[in-house]
Amino acid sequence: MKYMMLMQYSAAGTDFPDIASWSADEVRAHVAFMRDYNAKLVADGELVDAQGLASPATARIVRAGADGAPVVTDGPFPETKEWLAGYWIVDVETEGRALELAAAASAAPGPQGRPLNMPIEVRPIGSEPEV
Amino acid sequence: MDDLAPDDLLRTLAPQVVGVLTRRYGDFGAAEDAVQEALIAALDQWPRDGVPANPRGWLVQVASRRLVEQIRGDAARRAREERVLADRSATPPGTVSGDDTLVLLFLCCHPSLTTPSAIALTLRSVGGLTTAEIARAFLVPEATMAQRISRAKARIAASRLPFRLPEPAEREARLAAVLHVLYLIFNEGYTAGGVELQRRDLAREAIRLARLVTRLLPADGEAAGLLALMLLTDARRDARADAHGLPVPLAEQDRTRWDRASIDEGIALLTRTLPRNAPGPYQVQAAIAAVHDEAASAEATDWPQILALYDVLERMADNPVVTLNRAVATAMTHGPSAGLSLLATLDDRLPNNHRLAAARAHLHEMSGDTSAAIREYRRAADLTPSVPERLYLTARAAHLTP
């Protein structure tokens, strides 16, 4: 069963201070945690894909115009307090395992090494009906 | 050549075999497919059973058989074809010159192809990489890459390009396209930050192909310049990222971890080439890389010489990224405010560009304007598409926060 784990980043800093105020060592510890976490997913044969996303400042919202050509506006608007920072796609045996993995990622270290407990949305990936 | 490891041997032989088959049957697309299958068979068998006595003959024979199977359904005819092939493939190794490889490179880097297609086709036909390897290196599904390659081949077939070197008048422009494709392959492997093994392999492959071009066209200064540029840049690969994969700027790199042999080879190449002709952009960029690589420390870097070289480069091509680099060299030579005023001319040409913001942040930091530096580092972090770079720039801003 495949699940997508969507990592939310709280830009408002309600849950934890903005990453721009972390020390270089705190950022490094966070990155080291994520690298180890992903390496373990690979070793356990559970990782399908994982990507960090570029900042929302680089995002564009697209709609089809009258002639079908893309009509582009700048993406998520300034009042947006939360944005998608990255995602994992995992292939695991049970939903329980996906929740366990998401909880482990959520505990990634932040300032002073304390766990961030950031919100991670876990959603099954839609599949063709079994025949 | 037979002393090479099977992988390297295959990559060296692949373009020659595609060349032989294309000449013989006049169908590049089919020849390329057949050779790809022969390579996969060899990758499976050679490491297990040992490299055959005549590896090129083996590949020609296996690929020819596949090709014949593809283009002729009739069994009796196939048997006759194969008998003929068995005789012909007895040609001793070494009779094929590198010319076939060069023709193949020109074909794969043809301007009628989009750049991603030219890159994929070059890596497969000339580089001898499998579709799966190329797909992994570019982080796309194998099916996507397979489709990209077959479209590129269909395009070449439709344009009815002959399998021979372009006319001399056209050759120089086409060579520029070849070098550009190799340069892009190298960058793809290099900009990944030295963390992903697959990408590092891509840089290595680009260097191998650039060596090949240099050997086939020993008189071409730009081919040598490109190879030198790759060697002098790749020499810093181990020092470019820290243990967490975050980028380490040039000034802070541990220079003892730079690859001395690559630097020496790059500088020797340049020393041979530079005085010989009017240097082109690759040679000038290689010369800049050489000045950096030769400095014992960041402080000991000969910035006036780098600035002079960027002046030369800018006169060759009006490129805002070159101007950006020249602004940094200007700041290092004449102080940060001179650099900043040069950067101010780039806002229209590089709007919302993370490199421009990062350069500006760096120069503000140099001049002691901390709040401007923090603002620009954060802006650069917001604009960069690279996650490790975003984290690095963010940490840099945090470091300056009073």
Side-chain angles (χ1 to χ4, degrees):
Chain A
M1 189 72 195
K2 290 198 180 71
Y3 289 87
M4 189 164 196
M5 311 190 330
L6 303 115
M7 181 168 52
Q8 311 274 358
Y9 180 86
S10 167
T14 45
D15 303 331
F16 50 87
D18 189 278
I19 195 168
S21 67
W22 302 7
S23 76
D25 282 345
E26 286 164 349
V27 172
R28 287 204 172 88
H30 181 80
V31 175
F33 174 94
M34 287 302 186
R35 285 167 61 91
D36 292 348
Y37 178 86
N38 286 347
K40 187 157 186 320
L41 282 181
V42 172
D44 293 344
E46 292 177 321
L47 185 75
V48 178
D49 187 29
Q51 303 291 338
L53 302 184
S55 132
T58 58
R60 301 289 176 266
I61 300 279
V62 181
R63 285 184 186 79
D67 54 355
V71 175
V72 182
T73 48
D74 279 0
F77 299 100
E79 64 268 26
T80 307
K81 297 287 186 280
E82 281 176 347
W83 45 274
L84 189 60
Y87 67 83
W88 293 265
I89 295 174
V90 292
D91 192 352
V92 291
E93 292 189 355
T94 61
E95 187 192 34
R97 177 62 181 157
L99 298 180
E100 212 173 275
L101 289 174
S106 166
Q112 284 120 47
R114 282 186 289 112
L116 293 167
N117 298 331
M118 58 191 156
I120 294 180
E121 179 183 338
V122 177
R123 244 204 273 183
I125 290 188
S127 56
E128 298 286 317
E130 303 276 341
V131 182
Chain B
M1 193 200 287
D2 293 357
D3 299 336
L4 295 171
D7 276 23
D8 286 337
L9 180 60
L10 280 171
R11 287 180 185 177
T12 309
L13 294 175
Q16 299 178 15
V17 180
V18 176
V20 170
L21 265 68
T22 308
R23 275 186 198 291
R24 203 176 276 174
Y25 299 100
D27 182 343
F28 164 69
E32 211 276 336
D33 276 337
V35 171
Q36 182 77 186
E37 286 184 42
L39 287 177
I40 290 168
L43 278 169
D44 178 47
Q45 291 176 32
W46 292 9
R48 195 180 59 222
D49 307 338
V51 176
N54 175 358
R56 200 181 65 90
W58 189 97
L59 284 172
V60 169
Q61 193 157 5
V62 171
S64 298
R65 203 176 295 142
R66 291 288 153 87
L67 186 61
V68 169
E69 278 167 13
Q70 269 174 37
I71 54 183
R72 303 231 192 280
D74 177 41
R77 256 170 116 176
R78 183 162 69 215
R80 197 174 65 231
E81 287 281 344
E82 284 187 22
R83 266 200 312 280
V84 176
L85 285 174
D87 295 339
R88 283 214 234 163
S89 59
T91 353
T95 48
V96 166
S97 65
D99 288 351
D100 273 345
T101 306
L102 198 59
V103 174
L104 204 56
L105 254 172
F106 277 102
L107 197 64
C108 293
C109 302
H110 193 270
S112 70
L113 300 180
T114 64
T115 307
S117 296
I119 289 174
L121 196 58
T122 302
L123 284 173
R124 200 171 101 148
S125 305
V126 191
L129 271 68
T130 64
T131 307
E133 286 174 311
I134 303 167
R136 268 203 306 280
F138 286 91
L139 309 174
V140 299
E142 192 178 340
T144 306
M145 191 50 82
Q147 189 59 23
R148 197 178 285 173
I149 290 169
S150 59
R151 277 197 193 153
K153 285 192 300 192
R155 193 151 203 157
I156 285 182
S159 63
R160 300 183 180 282
L161 293 162
F163 190 77
R164 56 173 154 73
L165 282 177
E167 300 302 321
E170 205 198 331
R171 212 172 287 178
E172 200 170 325
R174 293 282 299 280
L175 178 63
V178 168
L179 297 182
H180 186 61
V181 164
L182 299 187
Y183 178 73
L184 292 176
I185 293 173
F186 177 79
N187 274 349
E188 192 64 35
Y190 192 71
T191 49
V195 187
E196 301 271 353
L197 199 62
Q198 301 290 351
R199 301 292 192 94
R200 194 173 277 193
D201 283 359
L202 219 43
R204 187 171 154 261
E205 181 61 19
I207 290 174
R208 196 183 69 83
L209 293 177
R211 262 189 222 288
L212 191 73
V213 178
T214 313
R215 205 164 55 233
L216 296 174
L217 298 170
D220 191 87
E222 276 296 83
L226 178 63
L227 176 58
L229 174 60
M230 288 180 183
L231 290 166
L232 291 163
T233 310
D234 188 60
R236 304 182 205 131
R237 64 187 176 266
D238 291 336
R240 290 179 64 241
D242 68 12
H244 307 302
L246 295 188
V248 179
L250 190 58
E252 290 162 30
Q253 287 175 17
D254 175 359
R255 289 169 191 240
T256 62
R257 297 181 63 203
W258 288 358
D259 180 349
R260 206 55 243 179
S262 282
I263 295 175
D264 290 345
E265 190 188 348
I267 287 174
L269 255 172
L270 265 185
T271 315
R272 261 204 313 280
T273 323
L274 276 177
R276 216 166 51 196
N277 43 22
Y282 290 122
Q283 290 170 80
V284 176
Q285 287 178 74
I288 292 169
V291 176
H292 281 298
D293 285 3
E294 280 181 311
S297 66
E299 295 72 36
T301 304
D302 186 350
W303 284 105
Q305 198 187 341
I306 289 177
L307 179 55
L309 288 165
Y310 273 121
D311 283 340
V312 173
L313 195 57
E314 201 176 32
R315 277 198 296 275
M316 289 177 180
D318 185 27
N319 177 334
V321 175
V322 172
T323 308
L324 194 154
N325 288 326
R326 186 166 70 85
V328 173
T330 301
M332 300 307 282
T333 313
H334 301 300
S337 57
L340 282 166
S341 36
L342 194 48
L343 287 183
T345 64
L346 288 173
D347 282 319
D348 295 339
R349 299 177 69 200
L350 293 171
N352 293 324
N353 181 287
H354 69 278
R355 286 204 200 122
L356 178 56
R360 198 171 260 147
H362 183 67
L363 299 193
H364 281 307
E365 187 181 350
M366 252 175 92
S367 73
D369 186 349
T370 310
S371 57
I374 292 171
R375 188 185 67 231
E376 292 295 331
Y377 275 128
R378 286 192 178 160
R379 190 172 139 72
D382 257 0
L383 292 173
T384 178
S386 149
V387 172
E389 191 169 272
R390 183 166 89 220
L391 289 165
Y392 161 77
L393 291 162
T394 301
R396 191 103 195 177
H399 178 73
L400 289 176
T401 309

